[in-house]
Amino acid sequence: MHWTLAHRAQKMNPSVIREILKVTERPGIISFAGGLPSPKTFPVEVFAEACAKVLKEDGHSALQYASSEGLVALREQVAAMLPWEVDPGQVLITTGSQQGLDLVGKVLIDPGSRILVETPTYLGALQAFAPMEPEVIGLACDEEGPLLQDLQHQLGVDTDPTDAPTEPARRRLLQLDLEPGRTFPRFMYLLPNFQNPTGRTMTEARRKAISEGCWALGLPIVEDNPYGDLWFDAPPPATLTSRHPNGCIYLGSFSKVLAPGLRLGFLVAPPDLYPKLLQAKQAADLHTPSFNQRVVAEVLKDGFLDRHVPTIRSLYRTQRDAMLTALDRNMRELDVTWNRPDGGMFLWVRLPQGMSAIDVLPHAVEKGVAFVPGAAFYAHAPDPRSLRLSFVTATVDQIHQGVAALAEAVREHRDRT
Ligand SMILES: Cc1ncc(COP(=O)(O)O)c(C=O)c1O
């Protein structure tokens, strides 16, 4: 049989991270590689009770087909949970926020459409968008997020985009642009809170500038925020979507605050765009499992997240602190640098000049520790010195042991080369 692959299938690649995760499943490996939340945070007993209750009280509906928009009660809970005024009618329940990315890609990207992303950015988004064959443009970024000057450069505007919005720009944003325009980017994909992979957070000043600039120029924003609730010392600044809801699609998830196995996320879209995303959702999977939606709606009753999320914050803060201490102890004299994330699950490390994280990885695995080389997260021109460490799944002891082993691998690799 001769199978002829569609052009878009040729754009699909195995996830580098999933390949690395296979190695980390070997017994004895301390893994800083995965993007998995700590299973200690999964409220198993609460789910056992909620499942039993849903089956007893609502079993037949919970096991039936349901509407594509999602369970009304859950959409109302999501709208009430978000810290800006959201109409539950604009909430679409998705099968993980990963599905939100897929739907956004299907609805907004034509082959050759330009899309803007951070440098580096979430690998799963690059994978979700790739089959739609966009021209992906990685914006230059610093510790505070994308650089406004580079955004202006990519858009070909010399004026300060924070100037008052022009009417045509506003119209382009508010009307659904159905013409396949190849030059003006379709959207900018941003992760302002505790970004995956770097752990960085966009400052208030940068949010304001980016948000005002995009609104003025008519550039839509896709804001992905699965980690925003996992702050350690203070909540992050207001979301981009809350500033201009008509200029943004907001993606949220229950994966990091409840459990990823539920595959439950949501998006909030402006009224003009919502029906198209809904049609794409219908075609993709009809609806997100109704049983899971009902169980989560049951769990969320009575403000469960307000009690539960602080326990996750506190656990992850302890683990982040352990990793910072271990890095300080083992890596200083090696000229390795790293950042200090204010929340989330990841920390970003840079190896000394001339070293490559991909080359260090086999030595690290030999020594019993794994990480993800940063190169996986770049749309173009990867920084070979960068790597991502997750601090949430290993125990504090394992963090100390693993970072010492990683330092050993870096030292040996340096001495050999
Ligand atoms: C930035 C980002 N977006 C989306 C996702 C997908 O999450 P979900 O489990 O909701 O599909 C992840 C998962 O790690 C992520 O890091």
Side-chain angles (χ1 to χ4, degrees):
M1 184 56 66
H2 181 71
W3 302 103
T4 306
L5 283 182
H7 205 245
R8 84 181 66 83
Q10 293 166 27
K11 303 277 172 187
M12 298 171 188
N13 289 309
S15 158
V16 183
I17 295 183
R18 295 219 170 265
E19 297 304 307
I20 291 171
L21 285 179
K22 284 185 198 154
V23 176
T24 66
E25 278 159 15
R26 284 192 214 149
I29 296 268
I30 297 174
S31 179
F32 301 139
L36 314 180
S38 167
K40 285 185 213 158
T41 67
F42 303 159
V44 177
E45 293 305 319
V46 176
F47 271 95
E49 271 173 41
C51 287
K53 189 160 179 222
V54 165
L55 285 174
K56 189 154 177 272
E57 294 178 3
D58 217 5
H60 291 96
S61 322
L63 297 175
Q64 185 54 285
Y65 281 120
S67 78
S68 301
E69 290 89 339
L71 186 71
V72 171
L74 186 61
R75 294 164 76 205
E76 285 171 355
Q77 284 166 321
V78 167
M81 212 165 77
L82 293 171
W84 71 95
E85 202 177 323
V86 175
D87 176 350
Q90 302 315 127
V91 176
L92 178 64
I93 303 295
T94 56
T95 306
S97 56
Q98 189 66 29
Q99 185 181 48
L101 292 167
D102 180 63
L103 302 180
V104 164
K106 282 180 177 153
V107 166
L108 293 180
I109 301 174
D110 283 312
S113 300
R114 295 172 86 207
I115 60 170
L116 302 171
V117 301
E118 293 176 59
T119 301
T121 189
Y122 171 51
L123 173 64
L126 293 176
Q127 283 183 306
F129 300 147
M132 313 304 151
E133 304 178 54
E135 182 192 340
V136 182
I137 297 165
L139 289 170
C141 292
D142 64 12
E143 258 306 292
E144 298 184 22
L147 294 173
L148 215 60
Q149 295 88 320
D150 196 40
L151 175 60
Q152 286 171 275
H153 170 72
Q154 297 297 347
L155 296 176
V157 287
D158 297 326
T159 51
D160 180 355
T162 55
D163 283 353
T166 58
E167 238 352 89
R170 269 200 193 284
R171 249 180 281 127
R172 185 165 37 194
L173 185 63
L174 294 169
Q175 291 168 2
L176 197 48
D177 184 4
L178 295 174
E179 291 302 313
R182 293 175 69 90
T183 49
F184 195 77
R186 294 295 171 91
F187 60 83
M188 175 157 61
Y189 169 67
L190 295 175
L191 304 117
N193 295 326
F194 324 124
Q195 195 227 30
N196 182 1
T198 61
R200 75 179 167 219
T201 298
M202 210 184 281
T203 55
E204 170 56 29
R206 192 66 58 86
R207 284 175 204 236
K208 189 167 187 304
I210 295 271
S211 162
E212 291 306 314
C214 286
W215 181 247
L217 293 163
L219 175 62
I221 291 175
V222 176
E223 180 173 28
D224 191 6
N225 189 23
Y227 304 102
D229 288 320
L230 304 181
W231 46 266
F232 298 152
D233 301 314
T239 62
L240 300 168
T241 308
S242 64
R243 297 159 201 253
H244 287 295
N246 271 335
C248 302
I249 299 174
Y250 179 87
L251 305 179
S253 175
F254 289 108
S255 291
K256 311 300 188 307
V257 291
L258 281 178
L262 296 162
R263 308 309 304 126
L264 217 52
F266 54 89
L267 62 79
V268 183
D272 284 351
L273 203 53
Y274 189 93
K276 276 289 155 211
L277 290 161
L278 176 61
Q279 287 157 24
K281 164 79 184 165
Q282 257 158 13
D285 65 353
L286 301 183
H287 64 81
T288 294
S290 14
F291 181 66
N292 295 14
Q293 294 189 61
R294 273 171 205 265
V295 170
V296 168
E298 180 59 37
V299 167
L300 295 188
K301 272 187 192 164
D302 313 324
F304 174 75
L305 285 182
D306 295 340
R307 300 188 296 281
H308 181 59
V309 174
T311 65
I312 308 178
R313 288 182 196 135
S314 144
L315 175 71
Y316 288 4
R317 188 201 289 115
T318 309
Q319 314 241 137
R320 179 217 44 189
D321 289 346
M323 190 165 269
L324 288 173
T325 307
L327 286 165
D328 206 44
R329 190 173 297 153
N330 295 279
M331 299 282 194
R332 277 256 172 255
E333 41 118 12
L334 291 172
D335 275 344
V336 173
T337 57
W338 57 91
N339 64 353
R340 183 183 188 280
D342 294 323
M345 301 181 8
F346 306 111
L347 194 145
W348 194 239
V349 173
R350 281 192 93 217
L351 298 174
Q353 186 75 33
M355 280 187 100
S356 147
I358 292 178
D359 294 344
V360 171
L361 184 59
H363 298 283
V365 171
E366 258 171 48
K367 304 221 167 282
V369 61
F371 59 83
V372 184
F377 303 97
Y378 288 78
H380 319 279
D383 172 3
R385 293 163 60 188
S386 60
L387 59 99
R388 187 190 77 176
L389 299 181
S390 158
F391 49 78
V392 303
T393 35
T395 62
V396 165
D397 282 350
Q398 286 172 330
I399 288 175
H400 283 285
Q401 223 179 309
V403 172
L406 180 56
E408 195 58 26
V410 172
R411 189 175 295 110
E412 274 184 20
H413 186 72
R414 183 195 61 184
D415 294 347
R416 261 189 243 175
T417 46

